[in-house]
Amino acid sequence: MLCFRLSTTLLLAATCSLMSAVVSTEKAITCGSDGNVQRLSCDDGVISVQTALYGRADAVTCSEGRPPAQLANTNCSQAGTVDVVKKRCDGKRECEVNINVFYTSDPCSGTYKYLETTYTCIPAIHLDACEGSLAQLQCDQGQVIFVYVADYGRRDQTTCIYQRPPNQVQNIYCSSPTRKVADSCNGKNSCTIAARNSVFGDPCVGTYKYLEVVHSNDWIGEVGLRRVDDLQVAVLVHCADLLNDQLAGGLAAGRRLLWAFPFPV
């Protein structure tokens, strides 16, 4: 039994390490001149913002042509920057953040600032369903749906805009995260849910909305989890810690790794 437990632990630890290794960290830096736009993108998967700084942390970044006085303060950061970028970008394949959104306050007057964002590309599926349509989540045979995040509202002016007047797509600060998609779809092979106000409520009256869903299609283990001993729980928590900043769901994401392996009765 000890050998089995040890091999299971090593297998789970290796799986955690493998998943952490394939999720690389990207960095984007945009200088703080008026109108500059930062663009984040993932060739595969979706964006998960890790850190964001609007201010200045060194005297080298975005320093070309700037007098020393504008670079001297290297302890300058605007509070709430990461929340702004996460709200704009998390769960998307690509996104844009205009520097001007941070002009509401000045954390260090006289200092030339920049926006620096680090993010990972999570291996997941991104789905948009325009208001009034149906979101259809479908897996291959032997797989089930796991929803990381779902949001009903509008976060950009490019999604679901066909034949819509400008006033219906202007509000990009309309966000309403919801668990209804996860509650309806998790563990199923396929799932259909309506992108309608009657289902999710209306977070921004007059704005044409859409439902965004980020999910994965996971293989089902042939044998379910029958027993969890202390050693396996420790590995589970370790997995969750490794994935917490990379996959929405934290402990739930780690638990899915554990469920994938059969245990003896």
Side-chain angles (χ1 to χ4, degrees):
M1 179 61 72
L2 178 59
C3 291
F4 174 80
R5 290 178 181 174
L6 181 59
S7 62
T8 301
T9 302
L10 292 174
L11 181 58
L12 285 168
T15 304
C16 292
S17 299
L18 178 61
M19 291 193 69
S20 296
V22 299
V23 182
S24 61
T25 300
E26 308 289 339
K27 179 184 288 187
I29 297 175
T30 304
C31 300
S33 299
D34 185 38
N36 280 359
V37 174
Q38 182 168 101
R39 294 175 175 85
L40 311 182
S41 65
C42 291
D43 293 332
D44 296 302
V46 297
I47 297 166
S48 175
V49 174
Q50 305 300 301
T51 65
L53 165 80
Y54 177 68
R56 178 163 291 277
D58 62 62
V60 177
T61 304
C62 291
S63 60
E64 185 176 356
R66 295 288 163 177
Q70 292 186 359
L71 310 174
N73 184 355
T74 58
N75 189 28
C76 168
S77 63
Q78 186 173 102
T81 298
V82 68
D83 295 328
V84 172
V85 182
K86 286 178 74 68
K87 192 169 184 178
R88 292 288 187 90
C89 298
D90 272 359
K92 290 181 172 291
R93 289 184 293 267
E94 58 184 30
C95 74
E96 295 184 350
V97 180
N98 194 306
I99 285 289
N100 291 5
V101 303
F102 300 106
Y103 286 1
T104 54
S105 63
D106 191 342
C108 45
S109 180
T111 295
Y112 185 64
K113 293 167 279 291
Y114 55 86
L115 174 62
E116 179 177 311
T117 303
T118 60
Y119 66 100
T120 56
C121 293
I122 298 173
I125 300 166
H126 180 277
L127 171 69
D128 292 324
C130 301
E131 182 178 345
S133 68
L134 298 176
Q136 296 181 324
L137 287 65
Q138 179 70 50
C139 296
D140 292 336
Q141 185 175 0
Q143 293 181 321
V144 294
I145 297 163
F146 183 87
V147 176
Y148 292 120
V149 64
D151 186 279
Y152 182 67
R154 175 166 291 278
R155 295 195 290 170
D156 61 52
Q157 294 182 337
T158 57
T159 305
C160 293
I161 61 172
Y162 181 66
Q163 292 186 338
R164 291 289 159 180
N167 66 305
Q168 290 188 2
V169 298
Q170 286 178 345
N171 182 5
I172 59 173
Y173 301 102
C174 171
S175 178
S176 180
T178 176
R179 283 199 51 84
K180 289 185 177 180
V181 181
D183 292 341
S184 298
C185 300
N186 277 359
K188 296 181 180 179
N189 177 259
S190 63
C191 179
T192 300
I193 190 165
R196 294 175 183 157
N197 294 338
S198 59
V199 177
F200 299 103
D202 192 344
C204 42
V205 177
T207 294
Y208 186 63
K209 295 164 283 291
Y210 51 88
L211 175 65
E212 283 187 278
V213 181
V214 178
H215 70 97
S216 63
N217 296 340
D218 298 337
W219 293 102
I220 307 172
E222 291 184 357
V223 181
L225 179 61
R226 303 293 183 86
R227 191 191 72 248
V228 179
D229 62 23
D230 292 341
L231 183 60
Q232 292 159 354
V233 168
V235 176
L236 167 61
V237 173
H238 178 61
C239 287
D241 288 341
L242 287 174
L243 293 169
N244 187 45
D245 291 333
Q246 298 172 348
L247 297 173
L251 185 60
R255 187 179 296 119
R256 288 167 51 243
L257 286 178
L258 196 58
W259 284 345
F261 298 95
F263 293 88
V265 179

